[in-house]
Amino acid sequence: MALSERTLRVVVYEGPGAIPVGAAERYAAVSALLERGFGVTRAGSERPVAPADASPMLVLGRWDGATPEPTGDPADGVLTRWATLDPATAGDAAERARAEMGAPVPGAWKPWFPVIDYDRCTNCMQCLSFCLFGVYGVDAERRIQVQNNDQCKTQCPACSRVCPEAAIMFPKYKSGPINGDAVSESDLGREKMKIDISALLGGDVYAMLRTRSERAQSRFSKERDSDKALAERQKCLAKLAALAGDIPPEVLMSLPSPEEIARKATEAAARAKAALAPETTATAN
Amino acid sequence: MSANGTGGAPAIVYCHCKYAQVLPVATKEAVLRALCDSGLPFEAVPDLCEASARRDDALKRLASAGPLKIAACYPRAVKWLFAAAGAPLDAATTEVVNLRTLSPEPAAGALLSTALEANLPAGKVTVADAPKAVVAPNPNES
């Protein structure tokens, strides 16, 4: 995921040189812009707003005269475009300005990803060990961090359920404390909060998948029936889905092959172990 | 655009939570309408989560705006969304108005008020920190 992108900032201006609009039109324009994914500043003098920076800007107003000419130079990174404030066309004007100024297009990906509460996190690395999708990593100080948030599986809160401190939030999750609501002591011990898939299945989930795969391979080496292999895997994963509660079936169904799961799990565990190892050992490795 | 001449009143930030239906639509609409009706300056972001995921510089810009009132979701989530984007909020001068739990009128009232009640969590958040205001059930949540 690209970092530190400067998105287009749309400013609704009603100060000197512009004619104020009514509240209803203001609401319609701001709503339309937000629905198209644009951040909006309604400028004025009664309250502060965020300071200007190098982000490209589109200023919308009912100009008391001609619409101002574009300003700024691509070389200094500060570009400003001006257009007429009209709720019906504000979104299109912003799209044009964004394209002209080469600003990134947000919203291409549904923002579902873990957010770590470092007030609670103990750096135990359980999340790193658990996640098969490479979302977690460690920083230079070997502190757990979310490194590949766009690899997270939409609607899957599984890693937050293995966190012993309830330190992993998904702000768009339906209920607390995963959504960021306060954590109670009972949350930490509550069975509902925790998903121990291994325990639910009476053993290591990866081992279970491996065993099933081996059984299937043995049988299929005689039968050569790929449909049966697929059915076997789907049956196994459907059982997981039923037991795992709110982990979406499509997430479980998109898990890699049992062999790949075992390999990824081993790698993640090794990374977690390395991150937790004393500095000298980690360096030696 | 700066905090000059505003007498220390907090800047207002509104999150539209565009990419999910976790904020009650009626609350979002009522709060945004109240903001537009008030004629006050404000900042509106389509989705704080999305901006945080992209480490959008807009969050650094907002975090540097001085005292803030942020209409979004849970304070614990908002605190760490900004932190994850490299734009930590000042706990002493930030109030989060939780649109997931407040009904429209108290939410709009809290947002427009010049009084600031800093409420970002410090340390482990427990039930004692939970909001005590009127709870509005979210029809989008099961």
Side-chain angles (χ1 to χ4, degrees), chain B residues 28-54:
Chain B
K28 280 199 308 182
E29 285 179 359
V31 168
L32 184 56
R33 200 173 285 280
L35 274 176
C36 291
D37 288 350
S38 74
L40 290 173
F42 63 89
E43 298 278 356
V45 294
D47 195 299
L48 276 181
C49 289
E50 201 262 353
S52 172
R54 284 186 300 99

Side-chain angles (χ1 to χ4, degrees), chain A residues 1-9 11 22-24 26-28 30-31 33-53 55 57 104-111 113 115-120 122 149 165-185 187, chain B residues 1-6 9-12 14 16-20 22 28-30 32-33 35-50 52-58 60-62 64-65 67 69 73-77 79-81 84 100-101 111-114 121-131 141-142:
Chain A
M1 179 146 291
L3 300 181
S4 298
E5 294 175 323
R6 293 194 184 279
T7 48
L8 179 69
R9 181 181 193 184
V11 177
R26 191 180 300 130
Y27 172 78
V30 174
S31 294
L33 288 162
L34 289 171
E35 284 300 318
R36 300 276 282 263
F38 294 100
V40 183
T41 299
R42 197 272 163 172
S45 58
E46 304 92 336
R47 291 281 185 105
V49 291
D53 60 10
S55 299
M57 239 182 341
V105 181
W109 163 72
K110 181 170 180 174
F113 59 99
V115 178
I116 299 173
D117 176 346
Y118 286 102
D119 286 338
R120 301 193 68 84
T122 60
N149 54 21
E165 290 292 335
I168 298 173
M169 297 174 281
F170 287 84
K172 296 196 186 304
Y173 188 69
K174 60 187 175 185
S175 56
I178 293 174
N179 61 11
D181 198 356
V183 180
S184 69
E185 285 306 311
D187 282 329
Chain B
M1 290 180 282
S2 72
N4 292 342
T6 56
I12 298 170
Y14 163 85
H16 197 56
C17 196
K18 169 176 159 51
Y19 301 108
V22 297
K28 280 199 308 182
E29 285 179 359
L32 184 56
R33 200 173 285 280
L35 274 176
C36 291
D37 288 350
S38 74
L40 290 173
F42 63 89
E43 298 278 356
V45 294
D47 195 299
L48 276 181
C49 289
E50 201 262 353
S52 172
R54 284 186 300 99
R55 304 194 75 181
D56 192 328
D57 279 356
K60 292 191 182 79
R61 196 165 65 212
L62 295 171
S64 68
K69 287 213 181 195
C73 54
Y74 290 98
R76 187 165 75 101
K79 171 180 175 174
W80 293 110
L81 280 170
R100 284 186 84 152
T101 58
L111 198 58
L112 295 174
S113 164
T114 52
K124 288 188 178 185
V125 179
T126 69
V127 283
D129 303 303
E141 290 184 359
S142 55

